[in-house]
Amino acid sequence: MTEGTTTSAAAEGADTLSRLEQEGEIAADYLEGLLDIADLDGDIDMDVEADRAAVSIISDSSGRDLQKLVGRDGEVLEALQELTRLAVHRETGDRSRLMLDIAGYRAKKRTELSELGAKTAADVKNTGEPVKLNPMTPFERKVVHDAVKAAGLRSESEGEEPQRFVVVLPA
């Protein structure tokens, strides 16, 4: 690799980082406006994780008010994430893969799903039989696929949204 290529790759990485930081800033402004309209208290934290902007709304107090923004099984959170992605798209013209978390819901869910994926992979290793899991959102399926892969097995998604589910397969 030539020196120019290395510099170009570094510049491209910096451009991607600044683009993702810009997405996070736009999303934070949008969400701050939403919190003001809804008269809810929350602080906004921005980061870049796995080549995507990650924005979290965290609470100084008990966080009960923010639970309204999570909804049952994260349904409101999913809708707010989509609206936030649309707000970013409107400003940048680019499709966003931004991830939104509210009151630690997604972080907690990620831990639970990683454990489910690892446990299911262990069961499949023991029995040699594939296991079908319940329908999940794309985020949930991705976490399970990653956990299964880390356990040394493979998995596939089957079915149609919103009934799409993960099947963990023997080696």
Side-chain angles (χ1 to χ4, degrees):
M1 192 181 317
T2 66
E3 191 173 315
T5 306
T6 304
T7 305
S8 175
E12 187 176 304
D15 287 348
T16 299
L17 184 61
S18 83
R19 181 180 54 77
L20 294 175
E21 288 170 344
Q22 178 190 18
E23 282 186 18
E25 291 287 338
I26 293 167
D29 290 345
Y30 175 79
L31 292 165
E32 282 176 3
L34 181 79
L35 289 173
D36 286 345
I37 291 168
D39 195 28
L40 295 172
D41 290 329
D43 292 327
I44 304 210
D45 183 39
M46 295 177 297
D47 201 359
V48 174
E49 299 173 0
D51 290 338
R52 64 171 61 184
V55 179
S56 299
I57 301 175
I58 51 180
S59 176
D60 291 338
S61 59
S62 68
R64 280 193 308 262
D65 286 346
L66 291 182
Q67 290 305 315
K68 297 173 188 173
L69 297 179
V70 172
R72 185 176 53 107
D73 297 327
E75 290 173 339
V76 176
L77 170 59
E78 290 291 332
L80 287 173
Q81 176 176 276
E82 201 54 40
L83 288 171
T84 305
R85 286 177 173 178
L86 288 170
V88 170
H89 177 74
R90 186 185 66 223
E91 293 291 321
T92 65
D94 294 327
R95 186 176 179 280
S96 174
R97 294 178 51 236
L98 174 133
M99 286 296 284
L100 175 63
D101 192 6
I102 299 174
Y105 175 83
R106 223 181 267 280
K108 180 180 172 199
K109 193 78 169 169
R110 181 178 283 123
T111 300
E112 292 169 1
L113 290 166
S114 292
E115 291 170 1
L116 172 66
K119 180 189 176 309
T120 304
D123 292 347
V124 168
K125 281 180 182 177
N126 288 337
T127 66
E129 297 294 319
V131 172
K132 293 180 182 180
L133 299 175
N134 291 329
M136 298 179 187
T137 67
F139 160 76
E140 294 168 335
R141 291 193 310 269
K142 168 86 170 91
V143 173
V144 172
H145 286 306
D146 290 348
V148 169
K149 183 177 180 182
L153 292 183
R154 63 186 190 89
S155 56
E156 298 174 349
S157 290
E158 293 184 5
E160 298 293 322
E161 295 292 353
Q163 296 300 311
R164 202 153 163 78
F165 59 92
V166 174
V167 179
V168 181
L169 303 164

